[in-house]
Amino acid sequence: MAPRAVVAAAAMAAVLVLALAAPAIAIDFGEEDLASEDALWALYERWRGLHAVARDLGDKARRFNVFRENVRLIHEFNKGDAPYKLRLNRFGDMTADEFRRAYAGSRIAHHRMFRGERKQGAGFRYAGARDLPPSVDWRQKGAVTDVKDQGQCGSCWAFSTIAAVEGINAIKTKNLTSLSEQQLVDCDTTSNAGCNGGLMDYAFQYIAKHGGVAAEDAYPYRARQGKCKKSGAAPAVVTIDGYEDVPANDEQALKKAVAHQPVAVAIEASGSHFQFYSEGVFAGSAARSWTTAWRRWGTA
Ligand SMILES: *[C@@H]1O[C@H](CO)[C@@H](O)[C@H](O)[C@H]1NC(C)=O
């Protein structure tokens, strides 16, 4: 029988939508690639070759213009000393608007999530935590699986949920197992809406109520909603006892939470910087669409 991890809690900070769309392949370029139109066209062709983008020729000039703007944005931004870097990835010739519609769209009302749904009267589990480390990298502690790709499906909520469950399970059992986002997309349909969005609160509830979630291998990701597989075909291997929201607008509370376990976070993923984000602490410059809560936490 597969070992079942009974886990104390997967805390969550409800903020915005997280898109785990960071692609592994990216092109490096330098000043010389931006020096002339010819050089930029050559860079565009190199990029098109790498990402096998099929576009009709009528569209190509317009695409090139978008590409050029993006390349300049990335180049200029990386000259600065922000705590994160951008890279030319496969979204190189998409406008921010196209990117948002394709990858960061969600029709579930996010404002509900922004406010949080913390249960009245329940104490915050880590309220009394002292002597917090200045930083913690859960990847180094073996609590984070490799980057996953949500594809063109508004399933950010499922990825955010699963990453937190993988994390707390790894901490409690020392067994890092990749778990199934697809199961949440297909089966957690009471309050969540598959590729049309959802909330982590409901997904945590689903996992706790249904005795856990299946392994990624047993129930792999398809980036579209399908029929819910029976538990015989995809048995639960990891479960949680519960979850709680990190108190909103409280940097110290978030620090206490992340010192103890990975936290499910959703961020506004529709800006150009998130489109090209590659590494570092994302502090997002396109702050217009970010919630107050995120800003206060994100710039801590
Ligand atoms: C880790 O957990 C998974 C899922 O329950 C299980 O299949 C695997 O055998 C475990 N690995 C170890 C080393 O215990």
Side-chain angles (χ1 to χ4, degrees), residues 28-36 38-40 43 46 75:
D28 285 319
F29 62 92
E31 202 76 54
E32 66 284 0
D33 295 301
L34 282 78
S36 68
D38 283 353
L40 271 163
L43 179 64
R46 187 151 66 92
H75 188 68

Side-chain angles (χ1 to χ4, degrees), residues 30-289:
E31 202 76 54
E32 66 284 0
D33 295 301
L34 282 78
S36 68
E37 285 290 287
D38 283 353
L40 271 163
W41 268 106
L43 179 64
Y44 185 45
E45 294 298 351
R46 187 151 66 92
W47 176 87
R48 281 166 49 89
L50 185 67
H51 294 287
V53 181
R55 307 247 191 250
D56 67 58
L57 282 176
D59 203 28
K60 202 172 170 187
R62 195 179 73 79
R63 285 283 150 208
F64 171 71
N65 285 334
V66 174
F67 178 81
R68 179 174 49 202
E69 290 312 306
N70 284 336
V71 164
R72 284 185 180 148
L73 175 124
I74 292 164
H75 188 68
E76 288 306 313
F77 178 81
N78 285 344
K79 282 187 193 164
D81 59 356
Y84 64 101
K85 292 284 175 208
L86 307 182
R87 282 193 85 188
L88 180 54
N89 55 29
R90 69 186 152 101
F91 310 123
D93 72 350
M94 292 176 89
T95 66
D97 200 47
E98 286 166 342
F99 178 77
R100 180 181 56 72
R101 271 184 275 125
Y103 296 100
S106 169
R107 284 185 274 278
I108 290 257
H110 285 133
H111 56 269
R112 217 170 14 151
M113 179 162 75
F114 301 160
R115 257 187 263 122
E117 297 191 344
R118 195 172 167 69
K119 284 172 218 85
Q120 285 300 312
F124 171 49
R125 158 179 312 261
Y126 301 120
R130 299 275 176 274
D131 302 322
L132 302 173
S135 71
V136 54
D137 186 341
W138 286 110
R139 294 172 303 180
Q140 284 170 8
K141 294 178 190 291
V144 184
T145 55
D146 287 343
V147 173
K148 301 183 185 185
D149 184 349
Q150 82 181 57
Q152 283 199 0
C153 164
S155 54
C156 52
W157 57 276
F159 282 86
S160 187
T161 302
I162 289 295
V165 175
E166 289 169 346
I168 192 68
N169 178 58
I171 292 167
K172 294 284 175 179
T173 69
K174 303 204 179 348
N175 178 338
L176 180 63
T177 298
S178 186
L179 301 172
S180 174
E181 294 81 12
Q182 191 65 42
Q183 183 174 22
L184 295 179
V185 170
D186 292 350
C187 309
D188 176 20
T189 51
T190 309
S191 303
N192 286 329
C195 289
N196 290 324
L199 302 178
M200 292 93 85
D201 286 86
Y202 298 136
F204 286 129
Q205 281 168 24
Y206 173 88
I207 292 170
K209 235 190 240 164
H210 286 78
V213 63
E216 188 86 67
D217 290 349
Y219 204 150
Y221 189 64
R222 302 198 187 289
R224 60 175 187 271
Q225 193 170 354
K227 210 169 143 241
C228 180
K229 267 195 204 179
K230 296 251 158 52
S231 60
V237 291
V238 169
T239 194
I240 56 170
D241 293 330
Y243 71 96
E244 66 180 90
D245 288 359
V246 177
N249 301 324
D250 186 340
E251 264 175 33
Q252 280 306 314
L254 185 59
K255 187 175 175 185
K256 287 172 183 175
V258 295
H260 287 87
Q261 64 184 104
V263 168
V265 177
I267 60 169
E268 169 60 49
S270 60
S272 290
H273 283 208
F274 197 80
Q275 184 176 348
F276 297 113
Y277 166 82
S278 73
E279 62 183 282
V281 177
F282 188 61
S285 78
R288 246 171 297 123
S289 54

